[in-house]
Amino acid sequence: MPVIHTSIGGGRIIGRLTAGNRHGLLVPYATTDQELQHLRNSLPDSVGLQRVEERLSALGNVIACNDYVALVHPDLDRETEEIISDVLKVEVFRHAIAENVLVGSYCALSNQGGLVHSKTKIEDQDELSSLLQVPLVAGTVNRGSDVIGGGMVVNDWIAFCGLDTTSTEISVIESVFRLTEGHQPSTIATKMRDSLIDTLA
């Protein structure tokens, strides 16, 4: 998977300012023309790129999406909702998670599952799960943090989380996002494990 080094509006907090999936990437209006051109040159032609003029400009905090559906902050502009639907090719739902309107901060979604704020009620999890058509689990990252979106990123194959994330939290993440199902240990992981064992021996 290619990694694109960039800034957004001169800042380095990329994940909290942008939202995207395999269909497209949304960036805030503060994104400079140079940054926009760099992203356009770096992304495949099949991935749409749109600068969004929205009062709630930290798009990663107010949008949580996978390749099919998006949860958005209830106060997002109607025009922004249409852009999300068109560029990301998703069905958009206005919702809160555990009474928090920053849906992108308090959950993480993939096409396989989702992790939501630890205080999300069971009935709300069931409602969201049927809305999103993926299994959901309430949990935390980084040793008890409810700010899921600020502590991890995930796609259908891998998740990256903060260094303070406990083994129990990682186990929940691997389970809900189905990261270990049907996968043989990769050559890299096997070599790393062998190297670690040699070092400790």
Side-chain angles (χ1 to χ4, degrees), residues 108-133:
L109 298 175
S110 78
N111 298 325
Q112 306 298 320
L115 187 67
V116 295
H117 189 291
S118 64
K119 292 189 174 75
T120 307
K121 296 175 185 164
I122 294 290
E123 50 270 26
D124 292 343
Q125 287 178 49
D126 292 342
E127 178 190 341
L128 277 170
S129 185
S130 67
L131 201 63
L132 301 171
Q133 294 297 298

Side-chain angles (χ1 to χ4, degrees), residues 4 32 98 103 130 183:
I4 301 169
T32 66
V103 290
S130 67
H183 297 294

Side-chain angles (χ1 to χ4, degrees), residues 156-167:
D156 291 343
W157 302 280
I158 195 163
F160 294 95
C161 50
L163 285 175
D164 289 337
T165 306
T166 66
S167 59

